[in-house]
Amino acid sequence: MKKIALLIAAVAWAGTASAAFSPTSVVGSSHDLSATGKDVQGKAGQAQNQVCIYCHMPHNANNVGAPLWNRSNSTTTFQMYSQANSSTFVLDAADTNTAARPVGPVSLACLSCHDGVTAFNSLNQTPMIDSDNNISASSYTFASGGAPVVTMQDASPSNTAGTANLTTDLTNDHPISFTYDTSLATLKGTTLRDPAVAASADLLQPLVIYRAGGTSGSIAQQMLFVNPAANKSNQLECASCHEPHMQGDLASAASNYPFLIKSNQNSNLCLTCHNK
Ligand code: HEC
Ligand code: HEC
Ligand code: HEC
Ligand code: HEC
């Protein structure tokens, strides 16, 4: 399970780092909402020096969501992937509350932009340093291709084949926010790998370098999350498959596009967990 404590060190470190372009950095990517970012951008003069701030804050952060989260999470009700949409989907005994189970905190964090409902400017706090000192987050404005955008719904995705707006209907998206443990794997027979067993390096790699030790350990260690509020571990969430801190666009990170934690060429990402 990934360590939240790492965030404190990383945020402190990022404060002094230069904005050098790197394929494994969020700086300059679609997830960089600063004035110099790609796709959806904050208007010039607006927190333009900072990248992390649109998602993280080192103090007084929102405790629901990803670590040190600086966004107000989606308050919408999501429709979950469940047995109602599949004849074969099963949940671990701990997740019997199928369709009504809530979205876990890490996925809720993603959906605070990708639900197409929550505004990009739903920030907890704006910076106390730089040009945005004392500016209210609700006055933040964003643009895509020069046109103002409020939510993901308005955005035109750089991937013309799809849309970055998943909507609040998650019944047509890969299941998330459920327990993927040994007993679920046992229930599915040999078709699903046991996430607790140390995976061979070729099964896990190449996870991006951002996730230290990404080429060893188990699926549970590298890909699954805790849900502290629900007191659950081994949760499969959006970030089980996606790494939000990288370039993630077609041109610069082809094998990891879109923000995938490992290349899905030959469906290698899918085959990490599914033995098909
Ligand atoms: C677009 C939103 C977004 C931006 C921008 C962003 N993060 Fe994150 N971050 C997340 C999400 C979501 C998670 C939880 C999922 C995960 O761990 O990958 C997270 C988790 C983390 C973690 C804890 C997990 C880990 O991988 O160690 C650290 C540390 C972190 N972010 C640091 C940063 C820093 C430093 C920046 C700026 C350079 C940054 N983040 C920018 C969304 C973002
Ligand atoms: C602060 C808002 C924000 C958060 C939080 C956020 N994203 Fe994004 N994401 C964006 C924007 C903006 C884009 C670019 C959309 C576009 O191209 O129009 C994007 C693009 C993407 C893309 C590429 C889509 C494409 O078609 O190119 C993926 C995949 C993605 N995000 C996944 C995630 C995941 C997974 C998380 C959580 C771990 C997350 N995002 C959290 C704002 C966000
Ligand atoms: C089981 C793995 C997995 C999970 C879980 C997952 N994704 Fe994805 N996602 C992918 C893959 C693989 C692609 C690229 C599909 C392709 O090749 O076109 C993708 C594509 C996307 C895109 C781009 C879609 C488009 O049409 O432009 C977005 C945005 C995205 N994911 C966001 C999310 C969010 C938000 C969550 C959680 C609610 C999530 N993903 C959960 C594997 C996953
Ligand atoms: C991190 C591990 C992991 C990854 C990566 C992953 N899956 Fe899954 N997937 C699961 C688990 C666990 C389930 C739930 C198992 C179940 O009950 O059927 C699931 C469910 C599914 C289902 C629904 C099965 C049903 O019975 O309704 C499909 C289809 C699926 N995955 C396809 C994919 C594809 C395609 C990819 C690659 C884009 C992928 N998965 C990547 C773990 C993963």
Side-chain angles (χ1 to χ4, degrees):
M1 225 61 57
K2 301 192 313 126
K3 302 259 184 332
I4 288 174
L6 277 175
L7 180 64
I8 297 152
V11 167
W13 169 84
T16 54
S18 71
F21 181 91
S22 152
T24 52
S25 170
V26 64
V27 177
S29 73
S30 305
H31 278 168
D32 177 350
L33 272 64
S34 77
T36 51
K38 196 174 166 288
D39 295 329
V40 174
Q41 300 175 7
K43 76 171 182 221
Q46 175 178 286
Q48 56 180 307
N49 306 325
Q50 295 199 47
V51 177
C52 316
I53 198 110
Y54 294 103
C55 289
H56 302 285
M57 189 75 180
H59 300 291
N60 293 320
N62 180 352
N63 265 345
V64 183
L68 298 181
W69 198 235
N70 192 33
R71 301 184 51 76
S72 308
N73 281 331
S74 179
T75 52
T76 3
T77 309
F78 292 93
Q79 290 161 272
M80 304 299 275
Y81 191 99
S82 73
Q83 270 157 342
N85 343 104
S86 160
S87 56
T88 49
F89 181 62
V90 287
L91 291 169
D92 177 76
D95 284 306
T96 43
N97 190 10
T98 57
R101 71 189 185 281
V103 174
V106 169
S107 300
L108 209 53
C110 308
L111 291 164
S112 76
C113 287
H114 285 278
D115 66 355
V117 175
T118 314
F120 289 122
N121 69 6
S122 300
L123 299 182
N124 271 13
Q125 296 181 76
T126 51
M128 56 191 293
I129 50 169
D130 80 28
S131 56
D132 277 12
N133 182 14
N134 227 6
I135 290 178
S136 154
S138 62
S139 70
Y140 272 33
T141 56
F142 294 86
S144 176
V149 292
V150 177
T151 65
M152 194 64 90
Q153 206 132 30
D154 302 320
S156 94
S158 52
N159 169 13
T160 48
T163 168
N165 175 11
L166 297 194
T167 77
T168 58
D169 179 1
L170 303 180
T171 60
N172 55 4
D173 298 289
H174 189 283
I176 53 154
S177 304
F178 64 95
T179 308
Y180 172 22
D181 60 3
T182 302
S183 61
L184 180 66
T186 308
L187 221 56
K188 295 294 283 189
T190 54
T191 62
L192 198 61
R193 295 188 206 278
D194 184 345
V197 171
S200 58
D202 66 324
L203 203 58
L204 284 173
Q205 82 179 9
L207 293 183
V208 296
I209 290 164
Y210 191 88
R211 293 203 168 159
T215 54
S216 64
S218 63
I219 290 169
Q221 283 166 332
Q222 297 297 346
M223 302 171 88
L224 304 179
F225 291 81
V226 286
N227 179 340
N231 196 19
K232 287 180 177 176
S233 55
N234 297 308
Q235 299 298 293
L236 193 149
E237 305 289 359
C238 309
S240 297
C241 296
H242 292 282
E243 169 53 73
H245 313 89
M246 54 185 287
Q247 290 304 304
D249 68 80
L250 195 50
S252 61
S255 67
N256 289 69
Y257 174 78
F259 291 107
L260 295 179
I261 62 163
K262 69 181 279 189
S263 163
N264 201 24
Q265 278 176 27
N266 304 320
S267 295
N268 279 339
L269 172 63
C270 315
L271 291 168
T272 308
C273 301
H274 294 280
N275 191 16
K276 292 279 185 194

